[in-house]
Amino acid sequence: MKRMLFCLMLIAGLVGTRSWSAEPVWFGHTNAQRVLLINSAMDLASFAPILKEFVILHPDVRVAYRDVNTLELYYQTIREQKKPQASLVISSAMDLHLKLVNDGYAQTYQSSFTDRLPDNFKWRNQLFAFSLEPIVMLVNKKEFPGELPEDRQTLLQTIRQNEKTMTKRIGTYDIRQSGVGYLLASQDARQADVTWGRLLEAFGSHDVQTYCCTHDIIDDVASGKLVLGYNLLGSYASQRAQEDDRLKMILPKDYTLMLMRAALIPKGAPNAEDAGIFLDFLLSDKAQKMMQTQGLLFPIRPDLNNPNDPYVVNAPGPTGIIELDQQLLVGRDYAKQKRFIRNWEMALEISDED
Amino acid sequence: MWQKSPNHRNLSEEEEKKALANAPSLRFRFILAGVLVIGVIAGLAINLIFDYSQKLADLSYDRLLRSALLQMDENVGLMRNEVSIDIPWSAFATLAQAEEDRVFYKVESLEQGFITGYQDLDSQPPQPPVSDQIQFYNQEYSGEMVRFAWVQRHITDPETAQTVRIILGQTRLSREQMASAVTQKAVEVVVFIVLVAITLIIIGSHLVLRPLHRIERALEERAMGDLTPIDINTPKETHHLKVAINHFMARLQTNLEQLENYTADAAHQLRTPLASLRALAENARDISSLGNSPERQHQALENIVNQCDTLSQTVTLLLNQAVVSHRLQTHRLEPIDLLAPITASCREQAVTALHQGVHLSLDCELKETMILGDSFSIQQMMQNLIENAVRYSRADVDQATEVIVQVSEFERFYRIKVIDYGNGIPDIEKERVFERFYRGRYDIAGSGVGLAMVKDIVDHHSARIQILDTEPKGTTFQVDFAKFRFDEGTL
């Protein structure tokens, strides 16, 4: 455990600290009595309206929002276990969050809102999911050679047929840097081991570009530097695809992974009461509806009255919901993780020294 | 005349209530005993259930743990002489059936050291390690009690041999939930049974005691003086009580009748002498008013004095009779020497008899004459018999100057004879002399109750009395008392 921790911290240290020392963004009255610090791996664009609404409803609370990378979020929470700064920690790396709970870094919270939450969207009353979004491919319609891919098979074919065009023009997560990237890759490997192997081989032979964060990939796809982003978070992709005509979001037909965003209150967190109130707000019908109508996130219980709503998932194929339970620990097994990253590095022909 | 409670008085209603409150309740005892027994049984049952439900929960969830452990174990292999493990997703999917339980594990090789999992987990099992044998145990980890499964295995290939240990644990939340669910259900059932049982006991106690209440009501509702037997249907168990009550009432009735008789006797006894006394007194008054001679007046007053004596005797007799009657009711018969009261009685009467010119003699050669009896009553009996004999002896001059009391022994009884040489009793009257107020001859003073009392005493001692004729003339009263035998008496 310590060795693994050290190992991963080394990686994290090497990768740099893009968001780790970032100053928090403040919401609400400056003279509000209480402060709620949220550490979150979520783009502020998707979250700001919800935070604004919250401080209007609770004027005596001032919210400080700090955007932190998923992997860094994990280490920061462990580092601060003695004296946590954040009242609430939100992440899309479900596996890391579940591991935090399993290893005893979270505290229990229960309210009528959490009780209403279905069992598969919470764990031990310490980890609560508030959104469920698809994992998608995003393509640049103009730049993409040939027909747009429906699934991973057709993507493979396109890569093979258009080797030149595709080289260096596919972007995906660096699983060493991004917690959610690793989770998605490991889930791909679990869902379809052979397809994943071929895809990884194809990525490697065509110099796939690796990124730390979703919006960097989206930016590059939009600009035409990339033709395709693989395994992107549906909420961000959907937002940009709606604004930008050049972009097209594709839900893979063979299977579409479904990812939850989850929140936990660290053990010994300051102002845990307000963290609970905010959590209740996230799970409330009001916030859930805001996510859908304002196109921020995919809510857990979408309003199905509007079938063409882009925030209602209409997957063409089967969906593979990443379950919020102990199985996630397997992906984060020290030996398995080491082996998986080594295989990934070998396939992509990169190493730490690069 | 019959035994009374020493301090008898009517209890006030309040005192009765207080006494009722202090009295032990049969029903309460019955219910208490029942509830205690059921309580103990229920306690044992619940204790067993607690134990069993824990075992059951561990048994069920240990299967999951074992299955997960074996899946992990199967995926341990050697890669370039190094132990490696690829934990299958399904192993943890198995564990995820215990939905809320945290999972901890550690894989290590004795040669290579830590391989994966939680490094600070203690890999030493509580029992001596035996390869390929899974051990289950509870141990605290990460602030919670955790159920661990432990296994150790040797892996060999041509170049290397290693010993791999896998420790897999999950917290006990689901187990406790299952155990408490089982316990709760079972306890509910036990509590239900207990409640039903207690209700049945309460109802049962009511039903069992109802016949008693019925007897009680039947007695309460009786009219004053109604001493007829209770005639209600009661179960077998209370039958004896009913019989006893009826028996008691019969005795009470007899007592009452005796009391009535006695009162009638007494009234009768006292009325005649009083009337006669009054007549004599009037006579004396008239004589004095007529100015007759002082001798006649003296004679009249003498008659009054005599009559007073007679009245006094009668009152004494009645008192004695009351005492005897009381003794017969209350004193148990005990072994006594029959001779003692007879001798005493003879001694007492001898002088009186002599005054009347009768010689009283006791004829007895026996040393010891033990019977079951009441000494005072027998003395009274003897006194009456002797008085009677003396009284009737005097009537005639001829030869009748002797009364003999004779005691003789037979095989099974002692016989007492009181012999006089008076005129004797005609055969027709013999049957009636024991009747109350029957008097053979009205010229001789007597109350008419003496022999009736004798008969009572004789009956009470289960003795036998006979009236025989004395040769050549006179009457012999013959009484037989059964001998007292020690072997019988002790029984």
Side-chain angles (χ1 to χ4, degrees):
Chain A
M1 169 95 180
K2 276 179 189 148
R3 219 165 101 185
M4 174 181 87
L5 224 152
F6 173 73
C7 203
L8 286 173
M9 269 163 80
L10 199 76
I11 298 169
L14 284 171
V15 161
T17 51
R18 195 192 76 88
S19 49
W20 122 253
S21 56
E23 278 303 304
V25 184
W26 292 90
F27 292 85
H29 257 282
T30 44
N31 52 1
Q33 295 151 354
R34 304 197 297 272
V35 172
L36 175 67
L37 175 62
I38 299 173
N39 276 352
S40 167
M42 180 157 27
D43 284 1
L44 192 54
S46 297
F47 217 46
I50 293 171
L51 293 170
K52 280 175 191 155
E53 184 67 31
F54 179 75
V55 291
I56 289 169
L57 286 172
H58 299 90
D60 49 348
V61 181
R62 194 162 176 234
V63 177
Y65 184 85
R66 192 153 62 188
D67 190 355
V68 188
N69 166 286
T70 44
L71 198 60
E72 174 50 30
L73 199 60
Y74 174 73
Y75 292 118
Q76 194 178 344
T77 308
I78 293 176
R79 233 179 5 247
E80 291 178 356
Q81 60 169 299
K82 290 255 164 59
K83 202 175 178 303
Q85 290 178 5
S87 307
L88 192 70
V89 183
I90 297 173
S91 175
S92 51
M94 295 160 66
D95 52 350
L96 291 175
H97 249 44
L98 190 115
K99 194 163 165 55
L100 283 176
V101 172
N102 189 69
D103 297 356
Y105 295 109
Q107 62 171 283
T108 305
Y109 176 72
Q110 200 171 4
S111 72
S112 58
F113 291 94
T114 63
D115 284 345
R116 219 176 43 159
L117 200 60
D119 281 343
N120 47 342
F121 285 102
K122 61 185 174 192
W123 197 57
R124 289 177 65 84
N125 276 327
Q126 294 181 343
L127 184 61
F128 308 95
F130 58 89
S131 82
L132 179 65
E133 60 193 270
I135 300 306
V136 300
M137 302 192 283
L138 190 71
V139 291
N140 187 314
K141 285 188 272 189
K142 248 190 223 157
E143 299 292 326
F144 198 81
E147 273 187 42
L148 298 181
E150 279 185 331
D151 54 22
R152 291 170 183 80
Q153 288 301 330
T154 48
L155 175 64
L156 267 174
Q157 276 176 17
T158 313
I159 294 173
R160 285 182 189 136
Q161 283 162 12
N162 306 281
E163 298 208 335
K164 267 196 185 154
T165 329
M166 298 302 276
T167 302
K168 291 201 173 191
R169 295 188 76 185
I170 300 170
T172 190
Y173 281 111
D174 185 337
I175 66 169
R176 300 166 303 180
Q177 284 183 43
S178 164
V180 68
Y182 177 87
L183 170 66
L184 298 175
S186 73
Q187 289 294 325
D188 264 343
R190 187 188 172 191
Q191 287 278 346
D193 200 21
V194 178
T195 312
W196 167 250
R198 284 181 191 158
L199 207 56
L200 200 59
E201 191 200 321
F203 284 171
S205 55
H206 292 86
D207 287 344
V208 75
Q209 301 298 300
T210 58
Y211 293 81
C212 80
C213 311
T214 301
H215 53 257
D216 291 346
I217 306 175
I218 297 174
D219 284 346
D220 282 356
V221 174
S223 70
K225 192 181 165 200
L226 299 177
V227 294
L228 181 132
Y230 181 76
N231 267 0
L232 306 186
L233 296 174
S235 52
Y236 305 147
S238 166
Q239 245 173 14
R240 293 289 291 271
Q242 274 178 300
E243 295 162 2
D244 199 331
D245 277 349
R246 296 170 292 181
L247 301 174
K248 163 97 176 140
M249 186 174 91
I250 296 164
L251 277 63
K253 201 176 170 183
D254 45 356
Y255 65 87
T256 307
L257 287 175
M258 299 290 285
L259 179 87
M260 298 173 198
R261 288 176 190 269
L264 62 83
I265 304 171
K267 199 176 263 178
N271 201 4
E273 295 92 61
D274 282 334
I277 293 172
F278 184 76
L279 193 58
D280 287 346
F281 176 69
L282 270 184
L283 299 173
S284 71
D285 288 339
K286 180 166 184 151
Q288 291 278 312
K289 201 165 179 180
M290 271 177 76
M291 293 176 193
Q292 186 176 355
T293 51
Q294 301 187 22
L296 307 171
L297 289 166
F298 289 79
I300 283 176
R301 283 185 304 270
D303 183 1
L304 298 174
N305 289 335
N306 184 2
N308 288 327
D309 191 322
Y311 284 87
V312 174
V313 178
N314 259 325
T319 56
I321 296 180
I322 303 173
E323 285 169 273
L324 192 67
D325 66 19
Q326 294 94 320
Q327 294 182 62
L328 290 174
L329 295 173
V330 177
R332 285 292 176 182
D333 173 60
Y334 169 66
K336 201 180 191 97
Q337 183 173 324
K338 212 167 74 173
R339 191 165 49 244
F340 192 78
I341 290 177
R342 199 174 57 231
N343 287 344
W344 182 85
E345 283 172 343
M346 275 160 55
L348 265 52
E349 294 165 4
I350 47 175
S351 64
D352 283 350
E353 282 77 41
D354 284 358
Chain B
M1 188 175 277
W2 58 88
Q3 199 167 18
K4 298 161 192 160
S5 69
N7 218 350
H8 186 78
R9 66 205 158 98
N10 278 329
L11 294 169
S12 73
E13 206 165 294
E14 231 168 77
E15 280 171 319
E16 208 156 89
K17 265 184 194 165
K18 211 172 140 191
L20 186 68
N22 287 337
S25 160
L26 203 61
R27 194 172 169 202
F28 176 74
R29 279 187 205 166
F30 182 64
I31 293 173
L32 188 72
V35 168
L36 277 180
V37 169
I38 290 171
V40 167
I41 292 173
L44 285 175
I46 286 175
N47 208 18
L48 273 178
I49 289 164
F50 266 107
D51 209 41
Y52 175 71
S53 61
Q54 285 284 350
K55 278 187 188 146
L56 188 72
D58 267 345
L59 196 73
S60 321
Y61 281 98
D62 280 353
R63 286 191 183 139
L64 292 185
L65 204 55
R66 177 200 298 269
S67 156
L69 185 72
L70 291 177
Q71 288 177 60
M72 282 173 75
D73 183 49
E74 204 173 279
N75 285 277
V76 174
L78 282 170
M79 240 185 183
R80 283 179 243 109
N81 295 334
E82 283 213 344
V83 176
S84 73
I85 179 166
D86 186 17
I87 299 175
W89 295 89
S90 60
F92 277 49
T94 309
L95 292 178
Q97 287 179 55
E99 284 163 15
E100 307 263 87
D101 277 311
R102 297 158 69 186
V103 176
F104 306 105
Y105 63 97
K106 183 182 184 181
V107 182
E108 66 177 8
S109 142
L110 295 189
E111 292 76 15
Q112 198 181 313
F114 173 76
I115 295 167
T116 189
Y118 291 71
Q119 199 163 17
D120 55 347
L121 239 170
D122 182 12
S123 61
Q124 206 57 39
Q127 277 156 37
V130 179
S131 285
D132 293 320
Q133 215 166 70
I134 298 178
Q135 287 187 28
F136 291 99
Y137 53 94
N138 295 320
Q139 204 171 64
E140 206 174 302
Y141 181 75
S142 182
E144 243 181 289
M145 195 46 93
V146 182
R147 181 78 168 173
F148 284 104
W150 175 99
V151 76
Q152 174 174 299
R153 188 158 68 94
H154 297 291
I155 314 182
T156 45
D157 74 356
E159 284 158 50
T160 180
Q162 296 219 22
T163 309
V164 180
R165 267 186 188 178
I166 306 173
I167 303 103
L168 178 63
Q170 65 179 163
T171 51
R172 300 191 51 93
L173 207 67
S174 295
R175 292 163 196 259
E176 303 302 341
Q177 270 171 6
M178 180 180 173
S180 68
V182 170
T183 309
Q184 198 191 337
K185 261 274 167 303
V187 166
E188 272 171 22
V189 171
V190 168
V191 167
F192 176 73
I193 291 172
V194 163
L195 287 182
V196 167
I198 289 174
T199 313
L200 284 180
I201 284 176
I202 290 172
I203 293 173
S205 74
H206 184 74
L207 286 178
V208 161
L209 295 178
R210 208 165 58 171
L212 288 182
H213 292 307
R214 269 168 50 204
I215 293 175
E216 177 194 310
R217 241 193 342 271
L219 288 176
E220 284 282 357
E221 284 167 2
R222 292 209 150 196
M224 280 269 275
D226 180 2
L227 289 176
T228 52
I230 302 172
D231 185 27
I232 51 174
N233 286 327
T234 51
K236 274 182 194 155
E237 286 74 11
T238 53
H239 180 75
H240 291 293
L241 177 68
K242 193 176 74 178
V243 168
I245 289 174
N246 284 343
H247 201 89
F248 178 74
M249 290 206 297
R251 286 212 318 258
L252 198 60
Q253 178 123 33
T254 318
N255 278 343
L256 269 179
E257 277 163 11
Q258 273 179 10
L259 180 67
E260 276 165 18
N261 287 343
Y262 181 79
T263 317
D265 282 6
H268 184 85
Q269 290 289 313
L270 295 174
R271 200 176 53 195
T272 321
L274 275 175
S276 137
L277 195 61
R278 185 191 155 87
L280 286 172
E282 276 174 1
N283 197 16
R285 184 191 63 191
D286 294 347
I287 288 169
S288 64
S289 65
L290 286 172
N292 275 333
S293 69
E295 278 144 52
R296 282 192 64 186
Q297 195 176 6
H298 184 261
Q299 181 62 42
L301 288 172
E302 184 70 33
N303 282 348
I304 292 176
V305 172
N306 283 345
Q307 190 61 33
C308 280
D309 284 348
T310 316
L311 188 59
S312 165
Q313 264 178 24
T314 308
V315 169
T316 312
L317 195 73
L318 283 173
L319 267 175
N320 280 346
Q321 193 183 7
V323 172
V324 167
S325 178
H326 175 69
R327 285 186 73 90
L328 294 186
Q329 295 280 348
T330 58
H331 285 235
R332 288 172 61 95
L333 297 181
E334 48 198 20
I336 53 159
D337 187 354
L338 182 58
L339 276 179
I342 294 175
T343 318
S345 173
C346 286
R347 208 173 285 146
E348 212 172 84
Q349 300 283 312
V351 183
T352 325
L354 214 56
H355 274 302
Q356 296 174 17
V358 176
H359 183 74
L360 175 64
S361 62
L362 173 61
D363 175 12
C364 175
E365 283 163 7
L366 302 171
K367 287 261 150 57
E368 206 188 42
T369 50
M370 293 302 288
I371 63 154
L372 260 186
D374 181 57
S375 196
F376 181 83
S377 307
I378 290 171
Q379 196 177 334
Q380 286 299 313
M381 178 191 82
M382 288 310 294
Q383 187 174 340
N384 277 321
L385 285 175
I386 294 167
E387 262 177 20
N388 206 50
V390 169
R391 201 178 293 142
Y392 285 86
S393 295
R394 230 189 75 192
D396 289 286
V397 200
D398 195 26
Q399 260 194 351
T401 54
E402 198 170 20
V403 167
I404 304 168
V405 176
Q406 216 173 53
V407 183
S408 50
E409 187 178 11
F410 288 80
E411 195 192 342
R412 301 184 73 90
F413 55 86
Y414 298 108
R415 173 164 289 168
I416 307 165
K417 280 182 174 175
V418 181
I419 305 162
D420 70 63
Y421 296 94
N423 269 349
I425 303 166
D427 284 347
I428 330 160
E429 289 184 14
K430 275 181 191 157
E431 306 203 340
R432 296 194 57 200
V433 291
F434 294 121
E435 287 177 19
R436 233 162 257 275
F437 311 120
Y438 180 81
R439 289 168 72 177
R441 285 168 55 179
Y442 283 86
D443 55 336
I444 295 172
S447 60
V449 291
L451 286 180
M453 190 167 101
V454 167
K455 176 76 172 148
D456 282 347
I457 294 168
V458 165
D459 286 348
H460 190 76
H461 284 80
S462 308
R464 190 175 55 186
I465 189 161
Q466 270 179 309
I467 306 172
L468 306 168
D469 290 331
T470 318
E471 287 299 324
K473 61 174 188 167
T475 312
T476 300
F477 283 87
Q478 174 184 306
V479 188
D480 297 339
F481 280 100
K483 275 183 183 175
F484 171 72
R485 284 192 210 147
F486 283 99
D487 53 338
E488 272 176 19
T490 50
L491 277 175

